Amino acid sequence: MTTYKRFRVVADDPIRTLVEDFEQPELAAGEVLLQVAYSGINYKDALATRANTGVVRTYPITPGIDAAGTIIASQDDRFKVGQAVLVTGFGFGVAADGGWTELAVVPADWLVALPQTLSPKQAMTFGTAGFTAALAVDALEQHGLTKTSRVLVTGATGGVANFAISFLQAQGVKTIIALTRKTEQADYLKRLGATTILSPTDLPEKTKPLAKQQFDFVIDTVGGTQLSQLLPLISYGGSLALCGNAGGIKFETTVLPFILRSVNLLGIDSVEANLETRTRLWEKMATLWSVPAALQVNEIKLTELSATIADLLAGQHVGRTLIHLGGMTR
């Protein structure tokens, strides 16, 4: 019997992780069997390997909230054997086994056909991080973003922020401000498209209900206390797209930015986005936006995951790390 490998989180006391062998699973109606070529590593995936983070409630589980590869068996007429597809979000890697595996069982409703101009490796270089950034930029465009807008991107060395900076540059935005503690990465961020680098220490120490209008739009991947500092700095009619919580889930503010400056706080959710939105933005990533040449991309094996997980949780990870699972790479 042929066996395959997958990364597993097991709820022993304490919680532990391992790479284990398993046999090819059976499919139910509406499912496909995906031979995974690549999966990505996201902050959410790293949290899924630790206890009491609220990401995973049922164990054992295989993390990995995104994957791309080729269908090798299908119980759904919409998808055929040999078709290249990708999956991000929904319950993948959280409520159901995810992409850190050589073979993945995936509900067909979660799949997006891989655009013709995009390889599985390129798709996973984007992954959930790229898709989230695409949603954020798209939301700001719907709320008035133009080439002359002043746009701040927080947590700038993280995956979502890297793509947001690159996508904004591709849209022709002239003023892209990267906010990061890692100011030693300034040259890297400028190669991605940032025009100005700020440190959190450059923000006002005291949070006032309203302050000098410094930014027209914000993509915030951090949340927490920093979000409280940013809202009073957004100019009249501006918007903040909130898509992360690395800085915490709580923040304090007043109603004044909203009722006196018409500021919009836009929630960005990449998990339950509908198929029309997914298809439209993945096509845009495959054509108009593309993977930035300056993006730092690392490729590892299943057995090398632990070090990257530790870096992500410690806030030391830069760029994008992919897991090569060995499927077709087109």
Side-chain angles (χ1 to χ4, degrees):
M1 178 70 70
T2 303
T3 59
Y4 303 87
K5 294 189 180 298
R6 62 186 175 188
F7 189 95
R8 209 72 168 149
V9 182
V10 181
D12 290 343
D13 188 15
I15 197 169
R16 65 187 178 92
T17 62
L18 69 155
V19 176
E20 68 175 13
D21 294 333
F22 70 104
E23 297 178 357
Q24 181 169 322
E26 297 291 329
L27 296 180
E31 294 180 338
V32 305
L33 186 62
L34 183 65
Q35 184 174 26
V36 180
Y38 285 92
S39 183
I41 306 176
N42 304 279
Y43 185 70
K44 189 174 183 179
D45 296 320
L47 289 177
T49 69
R50 300 295 189 262
N52 304 317
T53 59
V55 173
V56 175
R57 293 180 175 84
T58 303
Y59 298 92
I61 194 166
T62 294
I65 60 174
D66 48 33
T70 306
I71 294 173
I72 60 172
S74 177
Q75 291 294 327
D76 190 286
D77 291 338
R78 292 171 292 176
F79 294 96
K80 306 300 182 184
V81 172
Q83 186 172 0
V85 295
L86 64 90
V87 55
T88 66
F90 299 108
F92 198 59
V94 177
D97 285 338
W100 293 1
T101 179
E102 292 178 341
L103 293 183
V105 175
V106 186
D109 287 342
W110 296 358
L111 296 175
V112 174
L114 196 68
Q116 285 294 319
T117 56
L118 205 62
S119 71
K121 182 175 181 178
Q122 289 170 326
M124 287 300 97
T125 301
F126 285 127
T128 291
F131 180 56
T132 303
L135 286 166
V137 173
D138 187 60
L140 294 186
E141 287 185 316
Q142 293 180 36
H143 283 80
L145 173 71
T146 69
K147 294 180 180 180
T148 60
S149 300
R150 299 168 297 171
V151 187
L152 178 75
V153 182
T154 74
T157 59
V160 174
N162 281 186
F163 287 115
I165 292 168
S166 176
F167 295 166
L168 289 166
Q169 184 189 51
Q171 292 300 98
V173 176
K174 304 301 183 186
T175 304
I176 305 170
I177 306 149
L179 183 64
T180 179
R181 293 175 298 161
K182 303 171 186 173
T183 53
E184 71 278 5
Q185 296 290 334
D187 288 344
Y188 169 63
L189 294 172
K190 288 181 178 179
R191 289 198 303 274
L192 286 174
T195 57
T196 304
I197 311 298
L198 292 182
S199 165
T201 58
D202 295 320
L203 299 177
E205 288 187 21
K206 293 185 178 181
T207 301
K208 299 178 180 179
L210 291 174
K212 181 181 178 181
Q213 301 177 47
Q214 298 185 37
F215 315 114
D216 300 315
F217 296 94
V218 178
I219 295 176
D220 184 20
T221 71
V222 176
T225 302
Q226 186 172 274
L227 175 56
S228 305
Q229 295 175 282
L230 294 175
L231 286 169
L233 306 178
I234 298 174
S235 58
Y236 190 91
S239 299
L240 183 148
L242 177 60
C243 55
N245 65 340
I249 62 173
K250 295 181 179 180
F251 68 98
E252 294 183 3
T253 190
T254 72
V255 301
L256 297 187
F258 309 105
I259 67 172
L260 295 183
R261 287 188 179 164
S262 294
V263 168
N264 303 292
L265 181 57
L266 310 175
I268 304 299
D269 169 49
S270 64
V271 176
E272 298 292 340
N274 61 48
L275 182 60
E276 184 278 329
T277 299
R278 291 174 184 272
T279 302
R280 176 173 60 85
L281 291 181
W282 276 105
E283 190 62 37
K284 193 168 185 177
M285 286 187 277
T287 54
L288 299 179
W289 284 346
S290 74
V291 174
L295 182 68
Q296 183 173 321
V297 181
N298 308 303
E299 186 174 316
I300 64 172
K301 301 176 182 178
L302 276 178
T303 53
E304 300 172 316
L305 268 164
S306 295
T308 301
I309 290 169
D311 285 345
L312 269 168
L313 294 175
Q316 300 301 315
H317 185 261
V318 176
R320 186 84 172 127
T321 295
L322 308 182
I323 312 162
H324 185 201
L325 282 307
M328 292 178 62
T329 58
R330 165 142 90 66

